[in-house]
């Protein structure tokens, strides 16, 4: 079998969910060891905090988002999608970018600059080209948001690494938040109908208001704090109203769907914490706002999505068995350990970071052990991709 025709390279979620699981094991443990002083910081051009923030969003986060968008965009516009050599080059670019960010401290600019932006620049261009070229056959008219967001991710990355760290970090979080809002809006409608035969509220004006407010917050760094707080509160309120009509009591009877509702609530809670930070001098232990999102939204939603996509898109029945459900409960525990326990017992902060990192690594290590072999094999239903 030629390497380019190996099942791993048939569709985008296969290599990038593989990379996401591996990054989910390595990155949090490495950060916990660096933070505790047990491991030297990477030989990077950046501080260890910049490295950690960048890799959370643009290493792990974009492995997941890249895999999801490479798979979804081809379905949205009804084309074959990138595969074979194109995916091999993207995966290599992802690995090169990770190495450059972590260990490129002594590299000359002519080598470091292209290496550090190689993956995101390439995948953003390819995805944008797909959506623009096939705009007429796109199933979702609001995918115009992604056409705007993809280049904005590059701006956020540049700001985080070489400009205003706070602005870039906030912009990256806002872009991921918007991407998750779009994804949850689309997928939860399908999941609730399939699982419970119920239709959750979809009001075009409400949905669009939520997405537009989320888009405005991408430019938070340029807005007055009071206006940012008002927009964040308004968005949290609209999310709360919609949540009430999304049958949460029914959803929470199943962990595989309920955990995605937890992710939805974590986004609303993160917005409230962010708004509070703009209008009051309130001090949390640890970066509560960002970790509400990283552990609450990303950490809870992503494992459930990996299981669903890895099973469904390899021809298997989408059923969460005991090990899959255990992964989700581990991530819920990691959320509590990283966000709640430091507020109650701040003296053990190093312990909470270590336990949260261990929980994250355990969850994604379990996913890697269970699902990477599936991603390496052909579909079991005989279809190509």
């Amino acid at each position: 079998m030629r390497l380019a025709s190996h099942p791993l390279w048939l569709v985008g979620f296969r290599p990038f969910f593989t990379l996401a699981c591996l990054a989910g094991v390595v990155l949090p443990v490495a950060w916990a060891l660096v933070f505790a002083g047990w491991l030297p910081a990477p030989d990077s051009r950046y501080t260890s905090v910049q490295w950690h923030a960048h890799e959370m969003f643009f290493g792990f986060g974009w492995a997941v988002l890249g895999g999801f968008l490479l798979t979804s965009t081809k379905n949205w516009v009804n084309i074959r999608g990138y595969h074979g050599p194109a995916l091999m080059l993207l995966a290599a670019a992802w690995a090169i970018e990770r190495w450059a960010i972590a260990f490129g401290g002594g590299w000359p600019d002519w080598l470091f600059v292209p290496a550090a932006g190689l993956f995101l620049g390439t995948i953003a261009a390819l995805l944008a080209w797909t959506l623009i070229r096939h705009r007429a056959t796109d199933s979702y008219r609001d995918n115009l948001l992604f056409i705007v967001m993809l280049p904005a991710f590059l701006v956020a990355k540049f700001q985080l690494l070489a400009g205003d760290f706070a602005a870039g970090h906030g912009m990256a979080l806002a872009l991921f938040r918007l991407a998750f809002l779009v994804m949850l809006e689309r997928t939860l409608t399908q999941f609730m109908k399939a699982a419970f035969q119920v239709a959750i509220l979809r009001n075009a004006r409400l949905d669009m208001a939520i997405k537009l407010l989320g888009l405005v917050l991408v430019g938070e760094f340029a807005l007055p704090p009071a206006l940012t707080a008002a927009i964040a509160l308004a968005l949290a309120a609209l999310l709360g109203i919609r949540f009430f009509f999304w049958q949460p009591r029914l959803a929470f009877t199943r962990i595989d769907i309920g955990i995605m509702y937890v992710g939805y609530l974590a986004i609303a809670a993160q917005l409230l914490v962010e708004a509070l930070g703009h209008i009051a001098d309130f001090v949390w232990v640890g970066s509560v706002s960002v970790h509400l999102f990283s552990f609450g939204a990303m950490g809870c939603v992503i494992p459930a999505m990996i299981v669903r996509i890895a099973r469904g898109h390899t021809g298997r029945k989408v059923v969460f068995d005991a090990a899959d459900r255990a992964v989700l409960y581990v991530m819920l525990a990691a959320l509590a350990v990283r966000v709640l326990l430091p507020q109650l017992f701040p003296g053990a902060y190093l312990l909470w970071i270590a336990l949260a990192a261990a929980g994250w690594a355990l969850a994604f290590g379990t996913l890697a052990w269970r699902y990477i072999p599936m991603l390496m094999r052909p579909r079991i239903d005989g279809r190509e991709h």
Side-chain angles (χ1 to χ4, degrees):
M1 179 186 293
R2 291 175 55 233
L3 181 59
S5 61
H6 188 279
L8 182 65
W9 310 112
L10 288 176
V11 63
F13 77 90
R14 288 175 176 263
F16 284 102
F17 283 6
T18 297
L19 292 172
C21 287
L22 296 176
V25 174
V26 173
L27 290 175
V29 173
W31 166 245
L33 293 174
V34 169
F35 187 81
W38 298 337
L39 192 71
D43 181 20
S44 173
R45 293 189 174 199
Y46 309 107
T47 67
S48 58
V49 172
Q50 281 177 299
W51 169 76
H52 171 58
H54 181 275
E55 292 305 278
M56 186 66 219
F57 286 126
F58 296 102
F60 169 78
W62 251 100
V64 176
L65 186 58
F68 174 79
L69 289 177
L70 286 167
T71 305
S72 297
T73 51
K74 76 180 186 66
N75 297 328
W76 293 338
V77 302
N78 196 28
I79 61 172
R80 171 64 180 87
Y82 299 107
H83 61 285
L87 290 183
M88 295 173 70
L89 289 173
L90 282 173
W94 183 91
I96 291 169
E97 189 174 286
R98 307 282 66 73
W99 191 264
I101 295 296
F103 303 109
W107 295 8
D109 287 348
W110 63 265
L111 177 61
F112 175 80
V113 173
L118 184 61
F119 168 67
L120 184 60
T122 305
I123 194 171
L126 291 175
L127 290 169
W129 173 241
T130 296
L131 293 174
I132 293 169
R133 183 184 180 189
H134 301 282
R135 182 74 178 145
T137 58
D138 198 332
S139 303
Y140 293 97
R141 305 313 297 168
D142 62 353
N143 276 337
L144 181 61
L145 286 168
F146 283 110
I147 296 175
V148 174
M149 291 163 61
L150 288 167
F153 271 109
L154 291 168
V155 176
K157 178 187 176 79
F158 174 79
Q159 284 280 71
L160 192 154
L161 291 179
D164 183 336
F165 172 77
H169 187 259
M171 191 176 180
L173 190 155
L175 286 164
F176 270 98
R177 182 171 59 210
L178 180 56
F180 270 67
L181 288 174
V182 173
M183 180 184 69
L184 288 170
E185 175 186 289
R186 296 177 185 179
T187 58
L188 287 179
T189 303
Q190 301 168 5
F191 297 164
M192 291 296 284
K193 184 175 182 179
F196 302 110
Q197 294 74 54
V198 298
I200 60 176
L201 175 68
R202 291 299 304 276
N203 179 280
R205 291 184 177 180
L206 175 60
D207 292 346
M208 185 53 66
I210 286 171
K211 287 176 285 197
L212 289 178
L213 288 175
L215 182 61
V216 171
L217 285 175
V218 172
E220 172 186 339
F221 63 91
L223 301 175
L227 180 57
T228 297
I231 296 171
L233 287 172
L235 179 51
L238 292 182
L239 289 174
I241 291 169
R242 192 169 67 174
F243 180 83
F244 179 79
F245 290 100
W246 270 16
Q247 306 273 4
R249 292 181 63 184
L250 195 59
F252 283 128
T253 63
R254 282 184 47 168
I255 182 62
D256 58 312
I257 297 176
I259 198 166
M260 300 189 73
Y261 276 62
V262 171
Y264 182 101
L265 287 176
I267 293 174
Q270 186 272 327
L271 287 162
L272 292 174
V273 170
E274 182 176 319
L276 182 61
H278 284 293
I279 60 179
D281 188 18
F282 195 89
V283 178
W284 300 94
V285 178
S287 304
V288 168
S289 176
V290 66
H291 289 110
L292 266 173
F293 184 79
S294 60
F295 276 82
M298 297 174 75
C300 289
V301 171
I302 287 172
M305 291 300 296
I306 286 177
V307 172
R308 286 183 178 277
I309 293 172
R311 284 183 174 273
H313 286 258
T314 58
R316 294 169 171 81
K317 189 174 181 180
V318 180
V319 176
F320 284 67
D321 61 20
D324 297 324
R325 294 192 297 272
V327 165
L328 304 185
Y329 284 116
V330 167
M331 290 309 302
L332 288 173
L335 168 62
V337 168
R338 186 62 187 88
V339 175
L340 178 60
L341 291 185
Q343 315 311 315
L344 301 176
F345 308 102
Y349 189 60
L350 279 178
L351 174 62
W352 307 139
I353 289 180
L355 289 177
W360 188 290
L362 174 61
F364 282 94
T366 303
L367 291 175
W369 168 61
R370 289 172 55 77
Y371 288 101
I372 289 178
M374 288 186 194
L375 302 177
M376 295 286 183
R377 295 195 292 264
R379 290 180 63 114
I380 64 172
D381 57 4
R383 294 176 57 186
E384 181 188 4
H385 57 87

